[in-house]
Amino acid sequence: MVYLSGYNPESRQLLLFMMILAAWEAGSGQLHYSVPEEAKHGTFVGRIAQDLGLELTELVPRLFRVASKERGDLLEVNLQNGILFVNSRIDREELCGRSAECSIHLEVIVDRPLQIFHVEVEVKDINDNPPVFPATQKNLFIAESRPLDSRFPLEGASDADVGANSLLTYRLSPSEYFSLDVPPNHEQVRSLGLVLRKPLDREAAAEVYLLLTATDGGKPELTGTVQVLITVLDANDNAPVFDRTLYTVKLPENVAMGTPVTNATASDLDEGVNGDITYSFSNDVSPDIKSKFHIDAASGEITVIGLIDFEESKTYRIQVEAVDRGSLPLAGHCTVLVEVVDVNDNAPQLTVTSLSLLVSEDTQPDTVITLIRVFDRDSGTNGQVTCSLSPHVPFKLVSTFKNYYSLVLDSTLDRESLSSISNYEVVVTARDGGSPPLWASATVSVEVADVNDNAPLFAQPEYTVFVKENNPPGAHIFTVCARDADAQENALVSYSLVERRVGERALSSYVSVHAESGKVFALQPLDHEELELLQFQVSARDSGVPALGSNVTLQVFVLDENDNAPVLLSPWTPGAGGAVSELMSRSVGAGHVVAKVRAVDADSGYNAWLSYELQQVGGSPRGPFRVGLYTGEISTTRALDEADAPRQRLLVLVKDHGEPTLMATATVLLSLVDSSQAPKVSSKALVGIGSPETALVDVNVYLIIAICAVSSLLVLTLLLYTALRCSAVPTEDASGSGKPRLVCSSAVGSWSYSQQRAQRVCSGEGPPKTDLMAFSPSLPPCPVSTTDGEVEPGVMLDSSGKVGFFFFLAFIR
């Protein structure tokens, strides 16, 4: 709060104006400080951290730093207190020369997030340079005949300071002959000169000594002096006179050597030798002018002999002197002002803060990537620079301050997309407005850093693998492979099993997967009869943070091998040595079915496809019986006669079609009776019967028992058939029954069937499946009626491709 007392309205308006100006500068985003030149080391400039609204504690963490296009060691910031101070000697004249304004532009950069501030530090001039004359002594030769008020030009002093410190005043030591003529500062036609106020008299004073003093306007003021020695000449009383006192010429820079500038011609009213004129540059002309221009002594033509550079000097002020050849030579003077016209001969200059950058692919748009400064030494239109970027890059240029630009992200980055790349070579081109225009370019390499935004992917969601059973432990069965579009550790994939239960055991007891290679191994031998399908998932995860992953499903089908021999069904007892006894009348004809051998095989496919063969016993000739190759039905091949033995022993071999072939044997004992003796007892299974006489005991009793059993079996079969037809179950649970599966037989093959197991398919999803194999599908489908009237089971395919079974059982007696 500011309290004012005793102020007038004018003071109040001035105060309001200053407050508005301060508020406008604060809103413009730029700080202004001032410091006098030649200030000592450590001189306070300003509280830059406080003025920029930054906390002292965040200067170091946010990488607070100051950059300057001028000498970077002039000013420094104390990171402890945030004060900008003078670090080394500042010489305004060395820094800015004769420029009226002199300031140091600072770029204050802080990171996290990136911010850029612009600070202007004005260097104020102090009066540290005294006026300096071109020489310590000036020699003038003046004829005594020169009229009063004749003017003799002098070269004034120069002061390296600016402003009031460079405003010079001159004074001449007291003299009765001369006075000092000082033109106004804005007038370029006349220069400093001596004016003759009293006629010279060589006899009275052959030489006149004067002291010219130049004083600047500084506080304290500084002075410089030059001693003027005037030699009074006699005779020649007409000096050469130029047609103009000031010649103004516009000269383009970079003109060729020998280009004429102008003709500075003078005339002399004298005749003869006193009228012959010789031209030359004044002794006060600097060596730099003499190295760039030449004047012809006879004609006064000025030509170019050196490089004319607008950026080095915009004007050249040349003092030309014309001297006659009299015994007492007289001189005339004029000024040639050469104004250099700028030519577009300087290409723009580009300065990039960093030429190699690393940008994360998840960087948000409008984020500043780097800073760019452009500069052109030309002026006017030739120095107006526009910047552009190479096309089709996700970046843009934003002008921040004067010739400063920020390279900004224009759109989102995706390192893995097809249209994006992982490294951008951004070409920044600066072009000026000259004709023809000049340009310069800089390449900024922007590398897109990977972010873990892609999970590993498998080529397909599910794989089907076929493995033969009884494999060796640790066998390699498959290799999974997932690809990750990311890079480096984000693309480093490791594999693992998705653990689950397979029945009562863990999945890891069956298979394992190598974490690096993705190879899947079977840890133990697989059994097709125990496990037909093993379905599980393998997980692939990358090494990013956070890690991403995906799963793939493996269906491992265990292929059957012929490792199970056929097993006889009831009434045969499992194991060797079992036999079945049957009674048969001798009066039956050819084709009569006397018995049927039934067997199952735990294998599947060809390994379970069974065939039957009647083995001749003891090398006896071929008997009157045969067995169906695929049905197992034993029937007569001819009518029996008295020559046939009353006891027949038939040995049936049951073989599968595996490699190697496995088999089982079934023994059938037939007792032949006469036609007059009707069978009155049923067949009875005998195991290890000792003699034929024992089998014939009580035949009538056996026949009665057999008839009763057959009748009971017929009634039970009809009841079961009716119940099955009424229930109409569409599918049969493979694990719900312990009964053997039926076989559809034909002339060339049969459907194998095997006893049900509690678990055949362990996939983890859906009901257990049953694998069946059909042979000779081109033959007529089942059912096919057999010779004894029994209908064989049939196979049909429903619309889903699954195999359904149907059968009809009937006994025709």
Side-chain angles (χ1 to χ4, degrees), residues 37-38 91 93 125-132 158-161 165-166 168 216 222-223:
E37 67 173 330
E38 305 294 342
D91 189 348
E93 288 71 32
D125 182 52
I126 65 172
N127 193 26
D128 59 340
N129 291 281
V132 177
S158 61
D159 196 321
D161 296 322
N165 296 328
S166 65
L168 303 181
D216 61 24
L222 301 177
T223 61

Side-chain angles (χ1 to χ4, degrees), residues 21 96 324 612 645 649 696:
L21 179 61
C96 302
D324 60 24
Y612 302 87
R649 182 181 180 87
L696 295 177

